[in-house]
C-alpha cells in the first residue's frame, strides 16, 4: 500500500512539472549571474562561450526532463509559434544558402535564441519562477555594472 502511494506521488504530473520548472528557473538564474561575471575579450569570447554552453545545457536538460516525465508539450499561446516558425525558416535558409560559413554563425544565434526561449516559455508557470529569474537578472546587471565601473 505504501509503495503504491510513493509511486503515485512521484508520477503525479504536477510534481514532475514543478521539478522541471524549478530546475529550469535555477539554471537560467545561474546562467544570468555567471554570464555577468565571465570576462569578455575580443580574441577569446568566454562570456559568449559560457552563454552558449549554458543555453545548450538548459535546453537539453529541459528536453530530457520533459521526455522523462512523459510530458513534452508546448503551451498553447502566441509565443511558441513565432519562435518555432522563425527557427524553422532560418533552418531552411541555412540549408539553401551558398555561403555556409557566414550562415553558420547566424544559424547558431537563432538556435541559441530558440534554445533559451522555448524552455523559459514552457516551464515557467508561476510568479515564483519569474521572481527568481528577475532577481538573478538584477544581480547580474549590478555585477556587470560594478565590474564596468571598477575597470574605469
Amino acid at each position: 500500500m505504501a509503495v503504491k502511494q510513493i509511486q503515485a506521488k512521484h508520477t503525479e504530473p504536477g510534481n514532475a512539472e514543478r521539478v522541471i520548472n524549478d530546475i529550469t528557473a535555477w539554471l537560467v538564474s545561474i546562467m544570468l549571474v555567471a554570464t555577468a561575471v565571465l570576462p569578455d575579450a575580443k580574441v577569446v569570447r568566454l562570456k559568449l562561450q559560457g552563454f552558449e554552453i549554458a543555453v545548450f545545457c538548459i535546453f537539453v536538460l529541459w528536453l530530457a526532463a520533459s521526455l522523462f516525465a512523459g510530458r513534452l508539450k508546448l503551451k498553447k499561446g502566441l509565443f511558441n509559434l513565432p519562435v518555432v516558425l522563425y527557427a524553422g525558416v532560418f533552418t531552411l535558409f541555412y540549408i539553401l544558402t551558398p555561403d555556409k560559413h557566414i550562415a553558420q554563425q547566424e544559424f547558431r544565434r537563432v538556435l541559441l535564441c530558440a534554445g533559451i526561449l522555448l524552455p523559459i516559455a514552457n516551464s515557467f508557470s508561476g510568479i515564483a519562477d519569474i521572481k527568481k529569474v528577475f532577481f538573478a537578472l538584477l544581480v547580474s546587471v549590478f555585477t556587470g555594472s560594478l565590474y564596468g565601473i571598477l575597470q574605469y
Side-chain angles (χ1 to χ4, degrees):
M1 181 79 164
V3 174
K4 288 184 180 180
Q5 288 176 345
I6 292 172
Q7 288 175 345
K9 192 174 191 178
H10 287 291
T11 58
E12 285 180 273
N15 196 18
E17 287 179 17
R18 186 72 242 155
V19 170
I20 293 169
N21 293 351
D22 285 344
I23 290 171
T24 305
W26 280 109
L27 288 175
V28 170
S29 300
I30 291 168
M31 177 194 65
L32 289 172
V33 173
T35 303
V37 176
L38 289 173
D40 195 20
K42 290 183 180 179
V43 178
V44 179
R45 306 293 306 260
L46 288 178
K47 190 175 292 234
L48 184 58
Q49 290 172 350
F51 183 75
E52 288 175 357
I53 290 169
V55 168
F56 179 74
C57 289
I58 289 168
F59 182 75
V60 168
L61 287 174
W62 170 75
L63 189 63
S66 297
L67 290 173
F68 182 71
R71 295 192 161 45
L72 181 60
K73 60 180 180 180
L74 298 177
K75 291 182 180 178
K76 291 182 180 177
L78 296 176
F79 188 73
N80 287 324
L81 183 63
V83 172
V84 172
L85 284 177
Y86 183 67
V89 168
F90 206 93
T91 302
L92 181 67
F93 286 155
Y94 174 71
I95 291 170
L96 297 177
T97 187
D99 194 2
K100 295 284 188 204
H101 180 67
I102 294 174
Q104 183 182 16
Q105 300 298 323
E106 295 302 320
F107 185 59
R108 209 167 89 201
R109 288 185 184 103
V110 168
L111 289 181
L112 280 173
C113 291
I116 197 66
L117 289 174
L118 285 176
I120 288 175
N122 293 293
S123 292
F124 292 6
S125 59
I127 196 75
D129 295 330
I130 295 170
K131 284 183 179 180
K132 282 180 204 171
V133 173
F134 185 72
F135 180 73
L137 185 63
L138 288 177
V139 169
S140 67
V141 167
F142 176 75
T143 306
S145 301
L146 186 64
Y147 182 70
I149 290 171
L150 291 175
Q151 281 186 343
Y152 184 69

